[in-house]
Every structure is written in structure tokens, then in C-alpha cells.
């Protein structure tokens, strides 16, 4: 089956594609054989605005025949005004034979169903309602024809209806535009780019947009501070005079128009916030400062210098930083920014000396944390005069610590060192005197006038006051001012070791068996240093030589003591002489308990209450208890006699209670 069609286009005509009245489209008639053919073609009719479907006579039989041609797409303008349904195509086949027509597919009997209908008997195609290209841009469905009576069916014909776009959608912006522009931004810099959308058909006049700025609020300092590229929507700076302090924000009304700027329009507001640039220099609130500082004051606050800045607070363009420009070649002062970022704090970095300089004149400048933004500004400065007040300074030891090396057995009244101090107050001509401030062991004396230090008592390297062979004392030096000032120095005496301590045995008691005794290892120590220590030697003294043996172990730092003869169980004293490698030695007494056992199986029984003496001890204890019982009975009898005598003398009786208390003492026991 062949459907042929041409559209007659006219913008203000009906809602359908129409053939030109001057165009005649001749279509080939399908060859007819045993297959029934249904051929339709368009021809010039009395109604030039409606396409005509015409079919030639069909051949015999009921078999279908393939179509030879396809009808070109039909065009329908969206939003067409008029009375619906509107006829799109009409057929003249009803003049030749009786046919029944129908359509199927999207827009017909499938969603969106009902947009198109076809007259069953006349074959007229209708659109039932205005179409919307933005909803559906084209429809494709099939037309069917069946001959009356025999049910002869023709091949279906595909119909494509294209919806022609109209400019029925305004441009619109999908986002809100907020951007920042710094005060120092150069002319020509893009600050933001806007973009509008249009739902009409792309790449047509209906969707071709152009941009322009309708309004600038405020219109200061000029009304053309910004411009927009009409095609790209890029907004750039074109005017000078951005000033956050005067005009912190601009609102631009931007329009987008389709039809290349001549059609429908849409608008949006672009908010441009002017951000701070460092275009204002900080300025001191006063140009000079005067302060007085006592000498020898370190880290002392001299003055606080306040500044102001018109830039945005708490930003790097507002935060101040300070610098000493001149007047401090020796680095006696330091300046830092206060926590509020608008205050410079000048302090002493070192101790000032009145004798060196009684006054300092400083020049301090202030800037911001970031450089100035391409503008010419004058750096603000302030002059600070610091007057130094003279105070009584303490004498100074030089060096602050002094180290001397002396033998620990230095004799009493021997000189240790002369340790002196000088008075920095040279103009005062004061006298310096000395005293011991701290001498833990009381070993030293110092001459009040000369600072000569001598030995007061014998020193000992092994004393608890000495650490790592060093003894530390503090010496004081004071002047004769009305209010004396005292300085201190540290004297460190490194004591050299002498051989003044004999080695000793750490253990004082041992226990051994009297049969096959186990050797006893005794540890030896020496308070002196290694030079006067091991290797040690040992020897037995007196009767200890008969019953015991002693020798040094392999390291020569321990003694191996052994019982040489079997002794009765009991306590014995073993005398050993231990000497260091230089021969300095002393006797050590070891208490040895000898037990009646063998080898290392020590089993010592308690002898104090054992054996044949037990009955005697029990008898002594019984006698003591009996005597105490007799004394108690006697005391009770005497008390009863006193009571009788008291009642028999008409209650007049003077009893010496204190004396009675003393008489009640019997053998140290009070009853």
C-alpha cells in the first residue's frame, strides 16, 4: 500500500501540513497481480488545505500486496487555534468503493491516546486538541483500510506527524546568582557568568537567547560599573571605584530574551558583594608615647599603642602588625600585636642599664597582615621615648658559676678559692661584702671583705652532701646601700678522692651447718672510688684462723668463708681483715650461728627454753606467782583495818592518800 502526501505550508493556516496548490505530485500506481493492492495518492482538490488520499481499483483476490511508497511526514503547528477536531487528511476513495478506515499507535489508541482520530467511513484524519511540542515533538502511528464486503485488507500505512514549534516558552534562570568581587579587582575581570534556559526547540530563533543588564543598584559611583556579554552571559567589571566601605553590595537585574533578544523575556537578580581589599592603612591614634622603666627589668611592658583601620574588622586587611624601625640597634625591645589585632605592645626584651643609656627613642611603624591592594598609602609611625630609671643593682659574680678541684682531705683553713663580685652601680661607689648563703655541710668560711673562701671543717667526698664528686655552695655579695642589694654566685667544688675508707663486708650474720658446711659468699664494698678499691685481700684473725678458712673469689671483690672444723652448735664471732689494693684495711666481725646439721640443709633448734633447764624455770615462775598472791591478801587485810578504825573514831580521821599510794608500791608493781 502506498500513501502519498505533500504538505501545503502556510503559517497562518489550519493545524495541518498542506500541499501547495501549484504542486501536483503524481504517484506510481502499484502493480496489481493476484495480491490485492491499495494505493493512495494525493492530488489537487477543491480544498487545497487538506491532503487527499486516493486509491485506484484493486485487483482480485484477498492477498495483501506490499506498499510501494511511504507518505511524507505531516506537520502540525503546536497551540493551533480553532474548533476541534480539525481535519488533517481526507480521502476520495469513498467515491470509487466502500472502504472502512482506522488508525493505531501512540496518539491514536496508545498513550497519549485520543490525540488523533480517523473517520471510519470517510477516511478523514483529525487532530482532537491543540498539541504541545514541548510535551511530544512528533507522533508515529499507522492507518488501516479494509474493503467492504469481502473484507479485503490493504497494507497499513505509516503516518508521521511532526509538531511545529511556536515561541510559547519564556527564557528562565534556574539558579540564584551571588558572587563576591574584591575592591581591588581590575577592570575587565569576570565576576560571574549567568545562563538562562528556554524550552522551545533548540537551535531555532525561538530558543536563541541574548542577555543584557536592565538595572544596577546602587548606580554609584557610576551606573555602568558592570557589563554583560549578550551571548555568553559573562558579567565583567567596567567601572572604577569599587569601595566596600561606601558600596558594600550591588544588585544587577539581568534579562534574557529569545528570538535573538527580540522575543519573550525572563529576568533574574545577580547579587554582587564587594569584599574588602587592603586599601586603607592602619593609623596610630597618637603620634608619640612616653614611658619610664626601671633598669634590669626584662619582659616588662613599656607601652600599648592603639591603631585604627577602616578595612573590614577581623580580616587580614584590618589586622595590624608592628615593627621597630629605628632606635634599637641592640635588640633591647620587642613589639607584638595584642589579641584585639589593633594594639601594639612594646616590651623590654633585655634588661636595660641606666649606666649605659638613660633614655631610648624608638620609631615604631604599623602595617597590615597582607600587603596593600595596589593603592598608594602612607605607612603610619609613632615615636616612643623610654626613660630608664636608676635602681640599686645587686653585685654580679663573674662567672655566675665557678668550679674548683680540690682533694677531699684538704686541711682546715686551707684556701679553696677567692670568689668576688663587682657592683654595676659604678657611679654610686658602693662597697661589696660577702657571706655564705648556702653551705649544706658547713665546710666553708668566706672572708667578708675579700671573698676569700677557706675550709672550715674536713670535707668528705663520700658524704651525702656530695653528688657525682661535686659539692655545691652558694655565695652572696651585697652592697652597702640603704636598701642593700644582694647577688649570688655558685661555687662548685669537685672533690678528688683519697684513700680514706677501708673496705667493709656487707653481711654481718651467717648460718652454717657444723657437718659438711656450705661455703658462704660475703660481698665487699668500699666508699672510695675505683682507684682505691678492688682487688681486695682478706685474712683471718685470732682463734678464727683455727676453725675457719677465708679467701677471695675470682673477681677479688667477694670473700668465700668456710667452716674448717666441726664445732658444737652455738654462736661464734669470726674476725676478718679486708684491705683494698693499696693495703688500707680494717677488721670486720661476722656473727656466725653454727647449727647441728649437715651440708646446706640448715636446721637450727631454739636453745633458750630447751633441755634440762625447763623444770628450774618453771619452779622460779611458780614461786613468783605465789609471792604476789600473798602480797595481795596482805594488802586487802590492811584496807579492812583502816575502814574499821575510821568508823570507830566518830568519823574524824585524816588519811594521807598520797602516802598510801606510795606505800602500795611493792617490788615495782602497783596494786
Amino acid at each position: 500500500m502506498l500513501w502519498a502526501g505533500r504538505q501545503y505550508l502556510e503559517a497562518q493556516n489550519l493545524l495541518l501540513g498542506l500541499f501547495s496548490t501549484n504542486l501536483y505530485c503524481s504517484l506510481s500506481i502499484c502493480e496489481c497481480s493476484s495480491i490485492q493492492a491499495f494505493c493512495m495518492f494525493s492530488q489537487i482538490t477543491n480544498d487545497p488545505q487538506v491532503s487527499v488520499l486516493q486509491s485506484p481499483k484493486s485487483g482480485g483476490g484477498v492477498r495483501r500486496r506490499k506498499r510501494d511508497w511511504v507518505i511524507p511526514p505531516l506537520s502540525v503547528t503546536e497551540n493551533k487555534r480553532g474548533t476541534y477536531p480539525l481535519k488533517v487528511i481526507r480521502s476520495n476513495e469513498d467515491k470509487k468503493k466502500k472502504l472502512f478506515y482506522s488508525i493505531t499507535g501512540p496518539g491514536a489508541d496508545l498513550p497519549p491516546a485520543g490525540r488523533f482520530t480517523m473517520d471510519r467511513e470517510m477516511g478523514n484524519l483529525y487532530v482532537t486538541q491543540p498539541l504541545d511540542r514541548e510535551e511530544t515533538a512528533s507522533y508515529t502511528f499507522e492507518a488501516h483500510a479494509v474493503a467492504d464486503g469481502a473484507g479485503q485488507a490493504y497494507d497499513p500505512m505509516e503516518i508521521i506527524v511532526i509538531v511545529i514549534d511556536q515561541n510559547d516558552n519564556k527564557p528562565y534562570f534556574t539558579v540564584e546568582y551571588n558572587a563576591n568581587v574584591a575592591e581591588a579587582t581590575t577592570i575587565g575581570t569576570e565576576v560571574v557568568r549567568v545562563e538562562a534556559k528556554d524550552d522551545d526547540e533548540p537551535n531555532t530563533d525561538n530558543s536563541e537567547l541574548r542577555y543584557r543588564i536592565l538595572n544596577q543598584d546602587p548606580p554609584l559611583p557610576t551606573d555602568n560599573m558592570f557589563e554583560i556579554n549578550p551571548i555568553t552571559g559573562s558579567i565583567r567589571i567596567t567601572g572604577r571605584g569599587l569601595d566596600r566601605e561606601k558600596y558594600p553590595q550591588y544588585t544587577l537585574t539581568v534579562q534574557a530574551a529569545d528570538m535573538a533578544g527580540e522575543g519573550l523575556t525572563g529576568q533574574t537578580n545577580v547579587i554582587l558583594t564587594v569584599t574588602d581589599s587592603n586599601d586603607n592603612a592602619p593609623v596610630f591614634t597618637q603620634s608619640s608615647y612616653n614611658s619610664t622603666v626601671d633598669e634590669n627589668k626584662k619582659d616588662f611592658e613599656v607601652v600599648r599603642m592603639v591603631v585604627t583601620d577602616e578595612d573590614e574588622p577581623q580580616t587580614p586587611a584590618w589586622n595590624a602588625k608592628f615593627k621597630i624601625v629605628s632606635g634599637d640597634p641592640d635588640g633591647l625591645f620587642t613589639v607584638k600585636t595584642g589579641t584585639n589585632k589593633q594594639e601594639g605592645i612594646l616590651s623590654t626584651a633585655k634588661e636595660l642599664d641606666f649606666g649605659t643609656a638613660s633614655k631610648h627613642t624608638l620609631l615604631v611603624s604599623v602595617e597590615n597582615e597582607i600587603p596593600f591592594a595596589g593603592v598608594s598609602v602612607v605607612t603610619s609611625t609613632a615615636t616612643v621615648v623610654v626613660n630608664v630609671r636608676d635602681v640599686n643593682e645587686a653585685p654580679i659574680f663573674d662567672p655566675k658559676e665557678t668550679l674548683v678541684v680540690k682533694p677531699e682531705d684538704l686541711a682546715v683553713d686551707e684556701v679553696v678559692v677567692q670568689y668576688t663580685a663587682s657592683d654595676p652601680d659604678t657611679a654610686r661607689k658602693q662597697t661589696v661584702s660577702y657571706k655564705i648563703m648556702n653551705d649544706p655541710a658547713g665546710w666553708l668560711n668566706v672572708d667578708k671583705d675579700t671573698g676569700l673562701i677557706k675550709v672550715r671543717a674536713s670535707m668528705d667526698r663520700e658524704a651525702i652532701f656530695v653528688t657525682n664528686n661535686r659539692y655545691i655552695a652558694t655565695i652572696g655579695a651585697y652592697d652597702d646601700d640603704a636598701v642593700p642589694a644582694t647577688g649570688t654566685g655558685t661555687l662548685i667544688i669537685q672533690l678528688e678522692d683519697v684513700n680514706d675508707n677501708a673496705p667493709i663486708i656487707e653481711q654481718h650474720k651467717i648460718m652454717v651447718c657444723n657437718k659438711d658446711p656450705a661455703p658462704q659468699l660475703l660481698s665487699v664494698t668500699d666508699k672510695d672510688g675505683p682507684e682505691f678499691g678492688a682487688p681486695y685481700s682478706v685474712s683471718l684473725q685470732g682463734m678464727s684462723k683455727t676453725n675457719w678458712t677465708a679467701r677471695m673469689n675470682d673477681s677479688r671483690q667477694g670473700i668465700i668463708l668456710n667452716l674448717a672444723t666441726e664445732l658444737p652448735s652455738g654462736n661464734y664471732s669470726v674476725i676478718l681483715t679486708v684491705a683494698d689494693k693499696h693495703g688500707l684495711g680494717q677488721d670486720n666481725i661476722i656473727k656466725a650461728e653454727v647449727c647441728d646439721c649437715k651440708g646446706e640443709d640448715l636446721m637450727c633448734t631454739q636453745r633458750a627454753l630447751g633441755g634440762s633447764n625447763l623444770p628450774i624455770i618453771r619452779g622460779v615462775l611458780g614461786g613468783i606467782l605465789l609471792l604476789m598472791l600473798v602480797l595481795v591478801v596482805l594488802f586487802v587485810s590492811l584496807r579492812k583495818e583502816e575502814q574499821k578504825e575510821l568508823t570507830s573514831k566518830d568519823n574524824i580521821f585524816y588519811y594521807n592518800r598520797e602516802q598510801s599510794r606510795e606505800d602500795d608500791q611493792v617490788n615495782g608493781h602497783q596494786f
Side-chain angles (χ1 to χ4, degrees), residues 389-658:
R389 181 186 293 118
D390 187 23
V391 297
N392 183 28
E393 299 176 72
I396 300 173
F397 283 94
D398 187 19
K400 188 70 174 176
E401 292 184 352
T402 187
L403 172 68
V404 295
V405 180
K406 298 293 179 181
E408 63 175 326
D409 61 349
L410 193 66
V412 174
D413 288 334
E414 284 288 329
V415 174
V416 177
V417 69
Q418 187 169 22
Y419 193 21
T420 59
S422 60
D423 193 338
D425 294 317
T426 55
R428 297 186 177 218
K429 301 185 183 306
Q430 299 178 128
T431 300
V432 177
S433 301
Y434 302 91
K435 61 182 177 180
I436 299 290
M437 301 291 291
N438 184 37
D439 180 15
W443 290 343
L444 305 173
N445 270 329
V446 63
D447 187 278
K448 175 184 176 183
D449 299 321
T450 65
L452 187 65
I453 300 172
K454 295 183 178 181
V455 177
R456 176 186 178 188
S458 297
M459 297 183 289
D460 184 4
R461 188 191 70 90
E462 292 76 37
I464 60 174
F465 307 103
V466 178
T467 303
N468 296 328
N469 300 331
R470 291 187 172 189
Y471 179 74
I472 299 176
T474 304
I475 312 301
Y478 57 95
D479 58 32
D480 58 354
D481 192 82
V483 181
T486 301
T488 60
T490 301
L491 173 62
I492 303 173
I493 305 174
Q494 181 150 341
L495 296 172
E496 293 180 327
D497 191 25
V498 298
N499 197 11
D500 58 347
N501 292 280
I504 61 172
I505 299 174
E506 292 184 350
Q507 295 91 336
H508 300 291
K509 294 181 180 181
I510 62 172
M511 294 176 63
V512 297
C513 290
N514 57 5
K515 301 179 184 67
D516 296 330
Q520 303 294 309
L521 179 63
L522 308 178
S523 299
V524 180
T525 59
D526 194 325
K527 292 182 179 180
D528 292 323
E531 176 63 25
F532 304 105
Y536 303 112
S537 61
V538 63
S539 62
L540 291 164
Q541 305 297 322
M543 293 298 295
S544 301
K545 296 179 181 179
T546 304
N547 300 321
W548 301 84
T549 62
R551 64 180 178 85
M552 299 304 299
N553 64 358
D554 293 340
S555 67
R556 301 295 297 276
Q557 294 184 354
I559 299 172
I560 300 175
L561 179 65
N562 203 358
L563 181 61
T565 60
E566 184 175 339
L567 296 177
S569 59
N571 293 319
Y572 298 87
S573 295
V574 182
I575 303 175
L576 300 98
T577 300
V578 184
D580 58 28
K581 65 181 178 181
H582 293 284
L584 180 63
Q586 66 178 1
D587 291 344
N588 292 261
I589 299 176
I590 306 299
K591 297 295 184 180
E593 183 178 359
V594 178
C595 303
D596 189 12
C597 56
K598 185 176 182 180
E600 297 181 358
D601 189 15
L602 284 170
M603 295 181 59
C604 291
T605 58
Q606 199 172 14
R607 301 169 57 199
L609 298 178
S612 59
N613 293 330
L614 184 58
I616 298 174
I617 295 173
R618 288 177 176 174
V620 173
L621 292 176
I624 294 173
L625 291 174
L626 181 60
L627 177 61
M628 292 179 65
L629 181 60
V630 171
L631 292 174
V632 171
V633 172
L634 178 60
F635 173 76
V636 172
S637 299
L638 290 174
R639 296 286 290 180
K640 289 181 179 180
E641 290 296 327
E642 288 178 359
Q643 293 293 333
K644 291 179 182 180
E645 186 177 356
L646 179 63
T647 55
S648 65
K649 293 183 180 181
D650 297 328
N651 294 329
I652 301 174
F653 182 77
Y654 297 97
Y655 182 75
N656 189 340
R657 188 65 178 173
E658 295 298 328

Side-chain angles (χ1 to χ4, degrees), residues 129-443:
Q129 62 187 45
L131 302 181
D132 185 359
R133 188 205 66 84
E134 286 70 44
E135 179 186 350
T136 305
S138 66
Y139 300 85
T140 301
F141 48 85
E142 291 183 335
H144 306 269
V146 179
D148 186 21
Q152 183 179 11
Y154 295 88
D155 288 338
M157 180 178 65
E158 183 181 77
I159 297 178
I160 300 175
V161 179
I162 297 175
V163 183
I164 298 176
D165 185 40
Q166 282 191 330
N167 191 19
D168 58 345
N169 290 281
K170 293 182 179 181
Y172 60 93
F173 294 88
T174 59
V175 297
E176 296 180 352
Y177 294 94
N178 291 274
N180 294 331
V181 52
E183 287 178 302
T185 305
T186 58
I187 291 178
T189 301
E190 178 182 305
V191 295
V192 69
R193 184 183 294 260
V194 299
E195 181 181 10
K197 295 184 179 299
D198 194 310
D199 291 335
D200 290 319
E201 187 173 0
N203 302 318
T204 66
D205 288 344
N206 294 342
S207 60
E208 186 174 354
L209 305 181
R210 294 292 184 269
Y211 302 94
R212 66 171 176 159
I213 297 174
L214 298 180
N215 184 55
Q216 171 192 304
D217 182 30
L220 298 171
T222 63
D223 59 359
N224 59 346
M225 293 294 293
F226 306 92
E227 69 175 7
I228 189 169
N229 185 303
I231 297 176
T232 65
S234 172
I235 298 177
R236 300 176 181 272
I237 296 176
T238 57
R240 301 182 185 276
L242 288 176
D243 190 339
R244 183 199 63 84
E245 291 74 30
K246 295 180 179 179
Y247 319 112
Q249 189 178 82
Y250 288 92
T251 300
L252 305 181
T253 303
V254 177
Q255 173 186 280
D258 59 20
M259 301 298 290
E262 302 297 329
L264 303 177
T265 63
Q267 293 182 4
T268 188
N269 286 333
V270 178
I271 307 299
L272 299 179
T273 300
V274 182
T275 58
D276 193 34
S277 296
N278 194 13
D279 57 348
N280 293 283
V283 178
F284 285 100
T285 57
Q286 61 186 83
S287 60
S288 63
Y289 299 84
N290 196 292
S291 180
T292 300
V293 180
D294 290 344
E295 62 177 338
N296 304 321
K297 293 286 188 179
K298 183 181 179 181
D299 298 327
F300 180 81
E301 183 178 307
V302 178
V303 69
R304 289 179 177 248
M305 300 164 287
V306 179
V307 299
T308 60
D309 195 314
E310 294 182 1
D311 290 315
E312 185 175 0
Q314 309 304 324
T315 65
W318 182 83
N319 297 340
K321 64 177 183 178
F322 300 83
K323 182 173 64 174
I324 299 174
V325 178
S326 63
D328 185 27
D330 299 323
L332 299 176
F333 300 90
T334 181
V335 63
K336 64 180 182 179
T337 304
T339 56
N340 64 358
K341 301 297 185 179
Q342 290 282 279
E343 191 175 52
I345 304 173
L346 181 69
S347 304
T348 56
K350 300 178 182 178
E351 295 178 352
L352 305 182
D353 184 8
F354 176 84
T356 303
S358 61
K359 183 171 69 174
H360 300 269
T361 302
L362 310 177
L363 184 64
V364 180
S365 67
V366 61
E367 296 177 350
N368 294 120
E369 291 181 351
I370 59 175
F372 295 116
V375 294
S376 178
V377 296
V378 178
T379 302
S380 179
T381 60
T383 302
V384 182
V385 177
V386 182
N387 300 290
V388 183
R389 181 186 293 118
D390 187 23
V391 297
N392 183 28
E393 299 176 72
I396 300 173
F397 283 94
D398 187 19
K400 188 70 174 176
E401 292 184 352
T402 187
L403 172 68
V404 295
V405 180
K406 298 293 179 181
E408 63 175 326
D409 61 349
L410 193 66
V412 174
D413 288 334
E414 284 288 329
V415 174
V416 177
V417 69
Q418 187 169 22
Y419 193 21
T420 59
S422 60
D423 193 338
D425 294 317
T426 55
R428 297 186 177 218
K429 301 185 183 306
Q430 299 178 128
T431 300
V432 177
S433 301
Y434 302 91
K435 61 182 177 180
I436 299 290
M437 301 291 291
N438 184 37
D439 180 15
W443 290 343

